[in-house]
Amino acid sequence: MNEVVEIFKSGDKVRLFGNQGFRIGTTGTIGFPPKVDILTSDFGENYFRKAQTLNGETIFVWIIFDEPQYDSDGDGPYAETEINIEYLEIIKS
């Protein structure tokens, strides 16, 4: 998982540039998920997790949105969620 730690760090500001179920251009901060059993079993003490998808192994990071967001189905608003790192870019200050 070193590739995640080298690219994305907790506290980094990010922007969605691909369709991950939320509006492209949405911004947020990489953070840690809430301490609930279902998330703790996947994330442990990390801000990222690996998962098997139809396209192979994928890495997700936990994002806390700058403003609550509705997903592409109209559900929400969500204050935070996990996002595939393939759809994120770091906002340089």
Side-chain angles (χ1 to χ4, degrees):
M1 292 227 198
N2 289 339
E3 65 271 20
V4 176
V5 176
E6 291 172 7
I7 298 170
F8 297 99
K9 294 180 177 39
S10 177
D12 283 348
K13 294 289 291 176
V14 292
R15 177 182 303 110
L16 276 71
F17 68 85
N19 185 357
Q20 183 64 33
F22 293 95
R23 185 175 44 85
I24 293 173
T26 296
T27 59
T29 304
I30 296 176
F32 292 87
K35 299 285 184 197
V36 294
D37 289 343
I38 192 166
L39 293 175
T40 302
S41 67
D42 286 343
F43 283 86
E45 296 295 319
N46 298 309
Y47 57 89
F48 58 88
R49 72 178 182 98
K50 284 187 176 182
Q52 282 296 337
T53 67
L54 295 175
N55 297 324
E57 189 172 75
T58 301
I59 300 172
F60 293 86
V61 294
W62 196 260
I63 303 299
I64 302 163
F65 292 128
D66 290 338
E67 296 178 19
Q69 299 293 312
Y70 289 90
D71 67 14
S72 56
D73 292 329
D75 295 330
Y78 295 98
E80 50 194 277
T81 193
E82 66 178 354
I83 299 288
N84 184 329
I85 63 169
E86 294 179 23
Y87 301 107
L88 290 174
E89 62 186 356
I90 302 238
I91 300 172
K92 300 200 187 323
S93 50

Coordinates of all heavy atoms in Angstrom, one line a residue:
M1 N 0.8 -1.2 0.0 CA 0.0 0.0 0.0 C 0.8 1.3 0.0 O 0.3 2.3 0.1 CB -0.9 0.0 1.2 CG -2.0 -1.0 1.1 SD -3.5 -0.4 1.6 CE -4.4 -1.9 1.9
N2 N 2.1 1.1 -0.2 CA 3.0 2.3 -0.2 C 2.6 3.3 -1.2 O 2.8 4.5 -1.1 CB 4.5 1.9 -0.3 CG 5.0 1.2 0.9 OD1 4.5 1.4 2.0 ND2 6.0 0.4 0.7
E3 N 2.1 2.8 -2.4 CA 1.7 3.7 -3.4 C 0.6 4.7 -3.0 O 0.6 5.9 -3.4 CB 1.2 3.0 -4.7 CG -0.1 2.2 -4.5 CD 0.1 0.8 -4.0 OE1 1.1 0.4 -3.5 OE2 -0.8 0.0 -4.2
V4 N -0.3 4.3 -2.1 CA -1.3 5.3 -1.6 C -0.6 6.3 -0.7 O -0.9 7.5 -0.8 CB -2.4 4.5 -0.8 CG1 -3.4 5.5 -0.2 CG2 -3.1 3.5 -1.7
V5 N 0.2 5.8 0.2 CA 0.8 6.7 1.2 C 1.7 7.7 0.5 O 1.9 8.8 0.9 CB 1.6 5.9 2.3 CG1 2.3 6.7 3.2 CG2 0.6 4.9 3.0
E6 N 2.4 7.3 -0.6 CA 3.2 8.2 -1.3 C 2.5 9.3 -2.1 O 3.0 10.4 -2.3 CB 4.1 7.4 -2.3 CG 5.1 6.5 -1.5 CD 5.9 5.6 -2.5 OE1 5.7 5.7 -3.7 OE2 6.6 4.8 -1.9
I7 N 1.3 8.9 -2.6 CA 0.5 9.9 -3.4 C -0.5 10.7 -2.6 O -0.5 11.9 -2.7 CB -0.2 9.1 -4.5 CG1 0.8 8.4 -5.4 CG2 -1.1 10.0 -5.3 CD1 0.2 7.5 -6.4
F8 N -1.3 10.0 -1.8 CA -2.4 10.6 -1.0 C -2.1 10.5 0.4 O -1.7 9.4 0.9 CB -3.7 10.0 -1.3 CG -4.2 10.1 -2.8 CD1 -4.0 9.1 -3.7 CD2 -4.7 11.3 -3.2 CE1 -4.4 9.2 -5.0 CE2 -5.2 11.4 -4.5 CZ -5.0 10.4 -5.4
K9 N -2.3 11.6 1.2 CA -2.1 11.6 2.6 C -3.3 12.2 3.3 O -4.0 13.0 2.7 CB -0.8 12.4 3.0 CG 0.5 11.8 2.5 CD 1.6 12.6 2.9 CE 3.0 12.1 2.5 NZ 3.1 11.5 1.2
S10 N -3.5 11.7 4.5 CA -4.6 12.3 5.3 C -4.4 13.8 5.4 O -3.3 14.3 5.6 CB -4.6 11.7 6.7 OG -5.6 12.3 7.5
G11 N -5.4 14.6 5.2 CA -5.4 16.1 5.2 C -5.2 16.7 3.8 O -5.3 17.9 3.7
D12 N -4.9 15.9 2.8 CA -4.7 16.4 1.4 C -6.1 16.9 0.9 O -7.1 16.2 1.1 CB -4.2 15.4 0.5 CG -2.7 15.1 0.6 OD1 -2.0 15.9 1.3 OD2 -2.2 14.1 0.0
K13 N -6.1 18.1 0.2 CA -7.3 18.5 -0.5 C -7.3 17.9 -1.8 O -6.3 17.8 -2.5 CB -7.2 20.1 -0.7 CG -7.3 20.8 0.6 CD -8.6 20.8 1.3 CE -9.6 21.5 0.4 NZ -11.0 21.5 0.9
V14 N -8.5 17.4 -2.2 CA -8.6 16.6 -3.5 C -9.9 17.1 -4.3 O -10.8 17.7 -3.7 CB -8.7 15.1 -3.3 CG1 -7.4 14.6 -2.8 CG2 -9.8 14.8 -2.3
R15 N -9.8 16.8 -5.6 CA -11.0 17.1 -6.5 C -11.3 15.8 -7.2 O -10.4 15.1 -7.7 CB -10.6 18.2 -7.4 CG -11.6 18.6 -8.4 CD -11.2 19.7 -9.4 NE -10.8 20.9 -8.7 CZ -9.5 21.3 -8.6 NH1 -8.5 20.7 -9.2 NH2 -9.3 22.5 -8.0
L16 N -12.6 15.6 -7.4 CA -13.0 14.5 -8.3 C -13.0 14.9 -9.7 O -13.5 15.9 -10.1 CB -14.5 14.1 -7.9 CG -14.7 13.1 -6.8 CD1 -14.4 13.8 -5.5 CD2 -16.1 12.6 -6.8
F17 N -12.3 14.1 -10.5 CA -12.2 14.5 -12.0 C -12.9 13.4 -12.8 O -12.9 13.5 -14.0 CB -10.8 14.8 -12.4 CG -9.9 13.6 -12.4 CD1 -9.8 12.7 -13.5 CD2 -9.1 13.3 -11.3 CE1 -9.0 11.6 -13.5 CE2 -8.2 12.2 -11.3 CZ -8.2 11.4 -12.4
G18 N -13.3 12.3 -12.2 CA -14.0 11.3 -13.0 C -15.3 10.9 -12.3 O -15.6 11.3 -11.2
N19 N -16.2 10.2 -13.0 CA -17.5 9.9 -12.5 C -17.4 8.8 -11.5 O -17.3 7.6 -11.8 CB -18.4 9.5 -13.6 CG -19.9 9.3 -13.1 OD1 -20.1 9.4 -12.0 ND2 -20.7 9.1 -14.1
Q20 N -17.5 9.1 -10.2 CA -17.5 8.1 -9.2 C -18.9 8.2 -8.4 O -19.0 7.8 -7.3 CB -16.4 8.4 -8.2 CG -16.2 7.4 -7.1 CD -15.8 6.0 -7.5 OE1 -15.2 5.8 -8.5 NE2 -16.3 5.0 -6.8
G21 N -19.9 8.6 -9.1 CA -21.2 8.7 -8.5 C -21.5 10.1 -7.9 O -22.6 10.3 -7.4
F22 N -20.6 11.0 -8.0 CA -20.7 12.3 -7.5 C -20.3 13.3 -8.6 O -19.6 12.9 -9.5 CB -19.9 12.6 -6.2 CG -20.4 11.8 -5.0 CD1 -19.8 10.6 -4.7 CD2 -21.5 12.2 -4.3 CE1 -20.3 9.8 -3.7 CE2 -21.9 11.5 -3.2 CZ -21.4 10.3 -2.9
R23 N -20.7 14.5 -8.5 CA -20.5 15.6 -9.5 C -19.0 15.8 -9.7 O -18.2 15.9 -8.7 CB -21.1 16.9 -9.0 CG -21.0 18.0 -10.0 CD -21.8 19.2 -9.5 NE -21.6 19.5 -8.1 CZ -20.6 20.3 -7.6 NH1 -19.7 20.8 -8.4 NH2 -20.5 20.5 -6.3
I24 N -18.5 15.8 -10.9 CA -17.1 16.0 -11.3 C -16.8 17.5 -10.8 O -17.6 18.4 -11.0 CB -16.9 15.8 -12.8 CG1 -17.1 14.4 -13.1 CG2 -15.5 16.4 -13.2 CD1 -17.0 14.1 -14.6
G25 N -15.7 17.6 -10.2 CA -15.3 18.9 -9.7 C -15.5 19.1 -8.2 O -15.1 20.0 -7.6
T26 N -16.2 18.1 -7.6 CA -16.5 18.1 -6.2 C -15.1 18.1 -5.4 O -14.2 17.4 -5.8 CB -17.3 16.9 -5.7 OG1 -18.6 17.0 -6.4 CG2 -17.5 16.8 -4.2
T27 N -15.0 18.9 -4.4 CA -13.8 18.9 -3.6 C -14.0 18.4 -2.2 O -15.1 18.4 -1.7 CB -13.2 20.3 -3.5 OG1 -14.2 21.2 -3.0 CG2 -12.9 20.8 -4.9
G28 N -12.9 18.0 -1.6 CA -13.0 17.6 -0.2 C -11.6 17.3 0.4 O -10.6 17.7 -0.3
T29 N -11.5 16.7 1.5 CA -10.2 16.5 2.2 C -10.1 15.0 2.5 O -11.1 14.4 3.0 CB -10.1 17.3 3.5 OG1 -10.3 18.7 3.2 CG2 -8.8 17.1 4.2
I30 N -9.0 14.4 2.3 CA -8.8 13.0 2.7 C -8.7 12.9 4.2 O -8.0 13.7 4.9 CB -7.5 12.4 2.1 CG1 -7.6 12.4 0.6 CG2 -7.2 11.0 2.7 CD1 -6.3 12.0 -0.1
G31 N -9.6 12.0 4.8 CA -9.6 11.9 6.2 C -9.9 10.4 6.6 O -9.7 9.5 5.8
F32 N -10.2 10.2 7.8 CA -10.5 8.9 8.3 C -12.0 8.6 8.4 O -12.7 9.5 8.8 CB -9.8 8.7 9.7 CG -8.3 8.7 9.6 CD1 -7.6 9.9 9.6 CD2 -7.6 7.5 9.4 CE1 -6.2 9.9 9.5 CE2 -6.2 7.5 9.3 CZ -5.5 8.7 9.3
P33 N -12.4 7.4 8.1 CA -13.9 7.1 8.2 C -14.3 7.1 9.7 O -13.5 6.9 10.6 CB -14.0 5.7 7.6 CG -12.6 5.1 7.7 CD -11.7 6.3 7.7
P34 N -15.6 7.3 9.9 CA -16.1 7.2 11.3 C -15.8 5.8 11.9 O -15.7 4.8 11.1 CB -17.6 7.4 11.1 CG -17.8 7.9 9.8 CD -16.6 7.5 8.9
K35 N -15.8 5.7 13.2 CA -15.5 4.4 13.8 C -16.8 3.6 14.0 O -17.4 3.7 15.0 CB -14.8 4.6 15.2 CG -13.5 5.3 15.1 CD -12.4 4.4 14.7 CE -11.1 5.1 14.7 NZ -10.1 4.5 14.0
V36 N -17.2 2.9 12.9 CA -18.3 2.0 13.0 C -17.9 0.7 12.4 O -17.0 0.6 11.6 CB -19.5 2.6 12.1 CG1 -20.1 3.8 12.7 CG2 -19.2 2.8 10.7
D37 N -18.5 -0.4 13.0 CA -18.0 -1.7 12.7 C -17.8 -2.0 11.2 O -16.7 -2.6 10.8 CB -18.9 -2.8 13.3 CG -18.9 -2.8 14.8 OD1 -17.9 -2.3 15.4 OD2 -19.8 -3.3 15.4
I38 N -18.7 -1.7 10.4 CA -18.6 -2.1 9.0 C -17.4 -1.4 8.3 O -16.8 -2.0 7.4 CB -19.9 -1.8 8.2 CG1 -19.9 -2.5 6.8 CG2 -20.2 -0.4 8.1 CD1 -21.2 -2.6 6.2
L39 N -17.2 -0.1 8.6 CA -16.0 0.6 8.0 C -14.7 0.2 8.7 O -13.7 0.0 8.0 CB -16.3 2.1 8.2 CG -17.4 2.7 7.4 CD1 -17.6 4.1 7.7 CD2 -17.2 2.5 5.9
T40 N -14.7 0.0 10.0 CA -13.5 -0.4 10.7 C -13.0 -1.8 10.1 O -11.8 -2.0 10.0 CB -13.7 -0.5 12.2 OG1 -14.2 0.8 12.6 CG2 -12.5 -0.8 12.9
S41 N -13.9 -2.7 9.8 CA -13.5 -4.0 9.3 C -12.8 -3.8 7.9 O -11.9 -4.6 7.6 CB -14.7 -4.9 9.2 OG -15.6 -4.5 8.2
D42 N -13.2 -2.8 7.1 CA -12.6 -2.6 5.8 C -11.3 -1.7 5.9 O -10.3 -1.9 5.2 CB -13.6 -2.0 4.8 CG -14.6 -2.9 4.4 OD1 -14.4 -4.2 4.5 OD2 -15.7 -2.5 3.9
F43 N -11.4 -0.6 6.6 CA -10.4 0.4 6.7 C -9.4 0.2 7.8 O -8.2 0.7 7.7 CB -11.0 1.8 6.8 CG -11.5 2.4 5.5 CD1 -12.8 2.1 5.2 CD2 -10.8 3.2 4.7 CE1 -13.4 2.6 4.0 CE2 -11.3 3.7 3.5 CZ -12.6 3.4 3.2
G44 N -9.8 -0.5 8.9 CA -8.9 -0.6 10.0 C -8.6 0.8 10.6 O -9.5 1.6 10.8
E45 N -7.4 1.1 10.8 CA -7.0 2.5 11.3 C -6.5 3.4 10.2 O -5.9 4.4 10.4 CB -5.9 2.3 12.4 CG -6.3 1.5 13.6 CD -7.4 2.2 14.4 OE1 -7.3 3.5 14.5 OE2 -8.3 1.6 14.8
N46 N -6.8 3.0 8.9 CA -6.3 3.7 7.8 C -7.3 4.7 7.2 O -8.5 4.6 7.5 CB -5.8 2.7 6.7 CG -4.7 1.9 7.2 OD1 -3.7 2.4 7.7 ND2 -4.9 0.6 7.0
Y47 N -6.9 5.5 6.3 CA -7.8 6.4 5.5 C -8.0 5.8 4.1 O -8.6 6.4 3.2 CB -7.2 7.8 5.4 CG -5.8 7.9 4.8 CD1 -5.6 8.0 3.4 CD2 -4.7 7.8 5.6 CE1 -4.4 8.0 2.9 CE2 -3.4 7.9 5.1 CZ -3.3 7.9 3.7 OH -2.0 8.0 3.2
F48 N -7.4 4.6 3.8 CA -7.6 3.9 2.5 C -7.8 2.4 2.7 O -7.6 1.9 3.8 CB -6.3 4.1 1.7 CG -5.1 3.7 2.4 CD1 -4.6 2.3 2.2 CD2 -4.3 4.5 3.1 CE1 -3.5 1.9 2.8 CE2 -3.1 4.1 3.8 CZ -2.7 2.8 3.6
R49 N -8.3 1.8 1.7 CA -8.5 0.4 1.7 C -8.3 -0.2 0.3 O -8.5 0.6 -0.7 CB -9.9 0.0 2.3 CG -11.0 0.2 1.3 CD -12.3 -0.2 2.0 NE -13.5 0.0 1.1 CZ -14.0 -0.9 0.2 NH1 -13.5 -2.2 0.2 NH2 -15.0 -0.6 -0.5
K50 N -8.0 -1.4 0.2 CA -7.9 -2.1 -1.1 C -9.2 -3.0 -1.3 O -9.6 -3.6 -0.3 CB -6.7 -3.0 -1.2 CG -5.4 -2.3 -1.5 CD -4.3 -3.2 -1.7 CE -3.0 -2.5 -2.1 NZ -1.9 -3.4 -2.4
A51 N -9.7 -3.1 -2.5 CA -10.9 -3.9 -2.7 C -10.7 -4.5 -4.1 O -10.2 -4.0 -5.0 CB -12.1 -3.1 -2.7
Q52 N -11.3 -5.7 -4.2 CA -11.3 -6.4 -5.5 C -12.6 -5.9 -6.3 O -13.7 -5.9 -5.7 CB -11.4 -7.9 -5.3 CG -10.1 -8.5 -5.0 CD -9.0 -8.4 -6.1 OE1 -9.4 -8.2 -7.3 NE2 -7.8 -8.4 -5.8
T53 N -12.4 -5.5 -7.5 CA -13.6 -5.1 -8.3 C -13.5 -5.9 -9.6 O -12.6 -6.7 -9.8 CB -13.5 -3.6 -8.7 OG1 -12.4 -3.4 -9.5 CG2 -13.4 -2.7 -7.4
L54 N -14.5 -5.7 -10.5 CA -14.5 -6.4 -11.8 C -13.2 -6.1 -12.6 O -12.8 -6.8 -13.4 CB -15.7 -6.0 -12.5 CG -17.0 -6.5 -11.9 CD1 -18.2 -6.0 -12.7 CD2 -17.1 -8.0 -11.8
N55 N -12.6 -4.9 -12.3 CA -11.4 -4.5 -13.1 C -10.1 -4.8 -12.3 O -9.1 -4.3 -12.7 CB -11.5 -3.0 -13.3 CG -12.6 -2.6 -14.2 OD1 -13.0 -3.3 -15.1 ND2 -13.3 -1.4 -13.9
G56 N -10.2 -5.6 -11.3 CA -9.0 -6.0 -10.5 C -9.0 -5.3 -9.2 O -10.0 -4.7 -8.7
E57 N -7.8 -5.2 -8.6 CA -7.7 -4.6 -7.3 C -7.7 -3.1 -7.4 O -7.1 -2.5 -8.3 CB -6.3 -5.0 -6.7 CG -6.2 -4.5 -5.2 CD -5.0 -5.1 -4.6 OE1 -3.9 -4.6 -4.9 OE2 -5.1 -6.0 -3.8
T58 N -8.5 -2.4 -6.6 CA -8.7 -1.0 -6.6 C -8.4 -0.4 -5.2 O -8.7 -1.1 -4.2 CB -10.1 -0.6 -7.0 OG1 -10.3 -1.2 -8.3 CG2 -10.3 0.8 -7.1
I59 N -7.9 0.8 -5.1 CA -7.7 1.4 -3.8 C -8.7 2.6 -3.7 O -8.9 3.4 -4.6 CB -6.3 2.0 -3.7 CG1 -5.3 0.8 -3.9 CG2 -6.0 2.7 -2.4 CD1 -3.9 1.2 -4.0
F60 N -9.3 2.6 -2.5 CA -10.3 3.7 -2.2 C -9.7 4.5 -1.0 O -9.0 3.9 -0.1 CB -11.6 3.1 -1.7 CG -12.3 2.4 -2.8 CD1 -12.1 1.1 -3.2 CD2 -13.3 3.1 -3.6 CE1 -12.8 0.4 -4.2 CE2 -14.0 2.4 -4.6 CZ -13.7 1.1 -4.9
V61 N -9.9 5.8 -1.0 CA -9.6 6.6 0.1 C -10.9 7.3 0.7 O -11.9 7.5 -0.1 CB -8.5 7.7 -0.2 CG1 -7.2 7.1 -0.5 CG2 -9.0 8.6 -1.3
W62 N -10.9 7.7 1.9 CA -12.0 8.3 2.6 C -11.9 9.8 2.4 O -10.9 10.4 2.6 CB -12.0 8.0 4.1 CG -13.4 8.3 4.7 CD1 -13.7 9.4 5.4 CD2 -14.5 7.5 4.6 NE1 -15.0 9.3 5.7 CE2 -15.6 8.1 5.2 CE3 -14.8 6.2 4.0 CZ2 -16.9 7.6 5.3 CZ3 -16.1 5.7 4.1 CH2 -17.1 6.4 4.7
I63 N -13.0 10.4 1.9 CA -13.1 11.8 1.5 C -14.2 12.4 2.4 O -15.3 11.9 2.5 CB -13.5 12.0 0.1 CG1 -12.5 11.3 -0.9 CG2 -13.6 13.5 -0.3 CD1 -11.1 11.8 -0.7
I64 N -13.8 13.6 3.0 CA -14.8 14.4 3.7 C -15.1 15.6 2.8 O -14.2 16.4 2.5 CB -14.3 14.9 5.1 CG1 -14.0 13.6 5.9 CG2 -15.3 15.8 5.8 CD1 -13.1 13.9 7.1
F65 N -16.3 15.7 2.2 CA -16.6 16.7 1.3 C -16.6 18.1 1.9 O -16.9 18.3 3.1 CB -18.0 16.5 0.7 CG -18.1 15.3 -0.2 CD1 -19.1 14.3 0.1 CD2 -17.3 15.0 -1.2 CE1 -19.3 13.2 -0.7 CE2 -17.4 13.9 -2.0 CZ -18.4 13.0 -1.8
D66 N -16.2 19.1 1.1 CA -16.2 20.5 1.5 C -17.7 20.9 1.7 O -17.9 21.7 2.7 CB -15.6 21.4 0.5 CG -14.0 21.2 0.5 OD1 -13.5 20.7 1.5 OD2 -13.4 21.6 -0.6
E67 N -18.6 20.4 0.9 CA -20.0 20.7 1.1 C -20.7 19.3 0.8 O -20.4 18.6 -0.1 CB -20.5 21.7 0.0 CG -19.9 23.1 0.2 CD -20.4 24.0 -0.9 OE1 -21.4 23.7 -1.5 OE2 -19.7 25.0 -1.1
P68 N -21.8 19.0 1.6 CA -22.5 17.8 1.4 C -22.9 17.6 0.0 O -23.3 18.6 -0.7 CB -23.7 17.9 2.4 CG -23.2 18.8 3.5 CD -22.3 19.8 2.7
Q69 N -22.9 16.4 -0.5 CA -23.2 16.1 -1.9 C -24.3 15.1 -2.1 O -24.4 14.2 -1.3 CB -21.9 15.5 -2.6 CG -20.7 16.5 -2.6 CD -21.0 17.7 -3.4 OE1 -21.4 17.6 -4.6 NE2 -20.7 18.9 -2.9
Y70 N -25.0 15.2 -3.2 CA -26.0 14.2 -3.6 C -25.3 13.3 -4.6 O -24.5 13.8 -5.4 CB -27.2 14.8 -4.2 CG -28.1 15.5 -3.2 CD1 -27.9 16.9 -2.9 CD2 -29.1 14.9 -2.5 CE1 -28.6 17.5 -1.9 CE2 -29.9 15.5 -1.5 CZ -29.6 16.8 -1.3 OH -30.4 17.4 -0.3
D71 N -25.6 12.0 -4.6 CA -25.0 11.1 -5.6 C -25.8 11.1 -6.9 O -26.8 11.8 -7.0 CB -24.8 9.7 -5.0 CG -26.1 9.0 -4.7 OD1 -27.2 9.4 -5.2 OD2 -26.1 7.9 -4.1
S72 N -25.3 10.4 -7.8 CA -26.0 10.4 -9.2 C -27.4 9.8 -9.1 O -28.1 10.1 -10.1 CB -25.1 9.6 -10.2 OG -24.9 8.3 -9.7
D73 N -27.8 9.1 -8.1 CA -29.2 8.6 -7.9 C -30.1 9.6 -7.2 O -31.3 9.4 -7.1 CB -29.2 7.3 -7.2 CG -28.6 6.2 -7.9 OD1 -28.6 6.2 -9.2 OD2 -28.0 5.3 -7.3
G74 N -29.5 10.8 -6.8 CA -30.2 11.8 -6.0 C -30.3 11.5 -4.5 O -31.0 12.2 -3.8
D75 N -29.6 10.5 -4.1 CA -29.5 10.2 -2.6 C -28.6 11.1 -1.9 O -27.6 11.6 -2.5 CB -29.1 8.7 -2.4 CG -30.1 7.7 -2.9 OD1 -31.3 8.1 -3.0 OD2 -29.7 6.6 -3.3
G76 N -28.8 11.3 -0.7 CA -27.9 12.2 0.1 C -28.7 13.2 0.8 O -29.9 13.1 1.0
P77 N -28.1 14.3 1.2 CA -26.7 14.6 1.0 C -25.8 13.8 1.9 O -26.1 13.5 3.0 CB -26.7 16.1 1.3 CG -27.7 16.3 2.3 CD -28.8 15.3 2.0
Y78 N -24.6 13.6 1.3 CA -23.5 12.8 2.0 C -22.5 13.8 2.4 O -22.0 14.6 1.6 CB -22.9 11.8 1.1 CG -23.9 10.7 0.7 CD1 -24.5 10.7 -0.5 CD2 -24.1 9.6 1.6 CE1 -25.4 9.7 -0.8 CE2 -25.0 8.6 1.3 CZ -25.7 8.7 0.1 OH -26.6 7.7 -0.3
A79 N -22.0 13.7 3.6 CA -20.9 14.6 4.1 C -19.6 14.0 3.8 O -18.6 14.7 3.7 CB -21.0 14.8 5.6
E80 N -19.5 12.6 3.6 CA -18.3 12.0 3.4 C -18.5 10.6 2.7 O -19.7 10.1 2.8 CB -17.5 11.8 4.7 CG -18.3 11.2 5.8 CD -17.5 11.4 7.1 OE1 -16.7 10.6 7.4 OE2 -17.8 12.4 7.9
T81 N -17.5 10.1 2.1 CA -17.6 8.8 1.5 C -16.3 8.3 1.1 O -15.3 9.0 1.2 CB -18.5 8.8 0.2 OG1 -18.9 7.5 -0.2 CG2 -17.9 9.6 -0.9
E82 N -16.2 7.0 0.5 CA -15.0 6.5 -0.1 C -15.0 6.8 -1.6 O -16.0 6.7 -2.2 CB -14.7 5.1 0.3 CG -15.7 4.2 -0.4 CD -15.5 2.7 0.0 OE1 -14.4 2.4 0.6 OE2 -16.3 1.9 -0.5
I83 N -13.8 7.1 -2.1 CA -13.7 7.3 -3.6 C -12.5 6.6 -4.1 O -11.4 6.5 -3.5 CB -13.5 8.8 -3.9 CG1 -14.7 9.7 -3.4 CG2 -13.3 9.1 -5.3 CD1 -16.0 9.5 -4.2
N84 N -12.7 6.0 -5.3 CA -11.6 5.3 -6.0 C -10.5 6.3 -6.3 O -10.8 7.4 -6.9 CB -12.2 4.7 -7.2 CG -11.2 3.9 -8.0 OD1 -10.0 4.1 -8.0 ND2 -11.7 2.9 -8.7
I85 N -9.2 6.0 -6.0 CA -8.2 7.0 -6.2 C -8.0 7.3 -7.7 O -7.4 8.3 -8.1 CB -6.8 6.5 -5.6 CG1 -6.3 5.2 -6.2 CG2 -6.9 6.4 -4.1 CD1 -4.9 4.9 -5.9
E86 N -8.5 6.4 -8.6 CA -8.4 6.7 -10.0 C -9.2 8.0 -10.4 O -9.0 8.5 -11.5 CB -8.9 5.5 -10.8 CG -8.0 4.3 -10.7 CD -8.6 3.1 -11.5 OE1 -9.3 3.3 -12.5 OE2 -8.3 2.0 -11.1
Y87 N -10.1 8.4 -9.6 CA -10.9 9.5 -9.9 C -10.6 10.8 -9.1 O -11.4 11.7 -9.0 CB -12.4 9.2 -9.7 CG -12.8 8.0 -10.6 CD1 -13.1 6.8 -10.0 CD2 -13.0 8.2 -12.0 CE1 -13.4 5.7 -10.8 CE2 -13.3 7.1 -12.8 CZ -13.6 5.8 -12.2 OH -13.9 4.8 -13.0
L88 N -9.5 10.8 -8.5 CA -9.1 11.9 -7.6 C -7.8 12.6 -8.1 O -6.9 11.9 -8.6 CB -8.9 11.4 -6.2 CG -10.1 11.0 -5.4 CD1 -9.6 10.4 -4.0 CD2 -11.0 12.2 -5.2
E89 N -7.7 13.9 -7.9 CA -6.5 14.6 -8.1 C -6.2 15.5 -6.9 O -7.2 16.0 -6.3 CB -6.5 15.4 -9.4 CG -7.6 16.5 -9.4 CD -7.6 17.2 -10.7 OE1 -6.8 16.9 -11.6 OE2 -8.5 18.0 -10.9
I90 N -5.0 15.7 -6.5 CA -4.6 16.5 -5.4 C -4.8 18.0 -5.8 O -4.4 18.3 -7.0 CB -3.2 16.2 -4.9 CG1 -3.1 14.8 -4.5 CG2 -2.7 17.2 -3.9 CD1 -2.6 14.4 -3.2
I91 N -5.3 18.8 -5.0 CA -5.4 20.2 -5.3 C -4.1 20.9 -4.7 O -3.9 20.8 -3.5 CB -6.6 20.9 -4.6 CG1 -7.9 20.2 -5.2 CG2 -6.6 22.4 -4.8 CD1 -9.2 20.7 -4.5
K92 N -3.3 21.4 -5.5 CA -2.1 22.0 -5.1 C -2.4 23.4 -4.6 O -3.1 24.1 -5.2 CB -1.1 22.0 -6.2 CG -0.7 20.6 -6.7 CD 0.6 20.6 -7.4 CE 0.9 19.4 -8.1 NZ 0.7 18.1 -7.7
S93 N -1.7 23.7 -3.4 CA -2.0 25.1 -2.8 C -1.0 26.1 -3.3 O -0.1 25.8 -4.0 CB -2.0 25.0 -1.3 OG -0.8 24.3 -0.9

